[in-house]
Amino acid sequence: MLVLLPPSEGKAAGGSGAPLEPGSLSLPGLAAARAAVLEELVELCSGDELKAREVLGLSEGLRGEVAKNAGLRGAVARPAGEIYTGVLYDALGLAGLPAGARALAERSLLVFSGLWGAVRVTDRIPSYRCSMGVKLPGLGALGAYWRTPMASVLPEAAGDGLVLDLRSSAYASAWKPKGETAGRTATVRVLHAQIVDGVEKRSVVSHFNKATKGRLVRDLLLAGAVPATPGELVTALRDLGYAVEAQAPAKSAKSWSLDVVVTQIH
């Protein structure tokens, strides 16, 4: 099973340790693309701060992120599972997982990134600010930039098992499973169902969508669940108490769509 996660805008800073070693990162087929993005990002943030903030979409209050990016090559690196924070990662709670669930997380989780392409939670990276929606002056829109290297690397990472896609749309644009891999992929959205004037209405609520996805992955890890197909995933989630509505693709080379329906948001 390969679980595709978005990163978080918020990232942990500080700590101690050695700086980034690009050659140590997983998915070495992405190394050249990573080096190109890192070089341009550092160069951009080492120059005109106002231009860098404009390109990165940063407010005045986030100007410190520019200096942080400028110093990425010498910054302290920590496991990505410690760097990414925010709603999904708080709900996932990697640090509190027992050994078996933690080992499964290290094998299964892949976090997408505008800067690194994709990393395992054990990969040591520094805190940074560069979303997939950024358009760098030289490389262009990162979502489009990453498609070519991802297309040659991710199918091998997916292997012949289930791909559970929990990414947001910006990060999903960097790699779309195709062919036989797509048929083993399940994309998940979380819907909040409530009764309004006697009629059930459903909506996507961003904050709680992230929290539910984090809890969903945590529950799968704690259960030691390794479903091999989208159908097995549906069964596993229902066994864990989730209300799941599944739509199988009309064609074999298309992904499954899963709706996880919640009546309470927290």
Side-chain angles (χ1 to χ4, degrees):
M1 177 175 68
L2 185 68
V3 182
L4 311 181
L5 298 176
S8 59
E9 288 294 336
K11 299 175 183 70
S16 60
L20 171 72
E21 296 180 7
S24 70
L25 298 180
S26 302
L27 308 178
L30 299 178
R34 287 168 175 153
V37 179
L38 178 62
E39 180 177 359
E40 182 166 356
L41 182 63
V42 170
E43 181 178 354
L44 170 71
C45 293
S46 299
D48 186 327
E49 181 195 288
L50 189 60
K51 178 182 177 181
R53 282 174 42 206
E54 181 180 351
V55 169
L56 297 175
L58 300 177
S59 65
E60 170 71 23
L62 293 173
R63 63 187 304 174
E65 299 293 289
V66 176
K68 181 167 70 175
N69 282 348
L72 280 173
R73 296 188 189 280
V76 169
R78 296 163 57 189
E82 298 177 12
I83 290 290
Y84 293 115
T85 60
V87 177
L88 188 154
Y89 291 90
D90 285 346
L92 175 55
L94 283 173
L97 290 175
R102 176 73 188 207
L104 181 56
E106 293 174 356
R107 296 194 303 269
S108 304
L109 305 186
L110 196 65
V111 185
F112 274 61
S113 161
L115 174 54
W116 312 114
V119 292
R120 302 280 186 184
V121 293
T122 51
D123 285 332
R124 295 179 65 261
I125 58 174
S127 180
Y128 67 96
R129 189 70 173 234
C130 184
S131 72
M132 194 65 80
V134 164
K135 184 177 182 179
L136 291 175
L139 298 177
L142 290 176
Y145 170 80
W146 281 110
R147 285 175 198 154
T148 296
M150 290 284 193
S152 63
V153 172
L154 266 292
E156 181 179 354
D160 57 3
L162 169 74
V163 178
L164 173 53
D165 192 350
L166 302 176
R167 298 172 296 169
S168 56
S169 58
Y171 291 90
S173 69
W175 180 60
K176 297 183 184 298
K178 298 182 182 300
E180 192 267 339
T181 304
R184 293 183 280 104
T185 298
T187 60
V188 174
R189 65 175 181 171
V190 179
L191 299 179
H192 177 219
Q194 54 185 330
I195 304 299
V196 179
D197 296 329
V199 178
E200 183 183 83
K201 295 185 180 294
R202 295 180 175 184
S203 60
V204 176
V205 186
S206 177
H207 177 91
F208 301 102
N209 166 59
K210 295 174 183 177
T212 300
K213 287 179 177 179
R215 286 192 291 268
L216 180 153
V217 174
R218 182 180 178 85
D219 287 344
L220 287 171
L221 295 172
L222 288 172
V226 285
T229 66
E232 290 182 12
L233 172 65
V234 172
T235 299
L237 290 175
R238 287 174 176 166
D239 288 346
L240 290 168
Y242 289 91
V244 181
E245 297 176 358
Q247 182 176 348
K251 298 181 180 179
S252 59
K254 299 293 184 180
S255 301
W256 284 55
S257 297
L258 271 58
D259 287 341
V260 174
V261 183
V262 298
T263 55
Q264 296 182 338
I265 51 179
H266 56 89

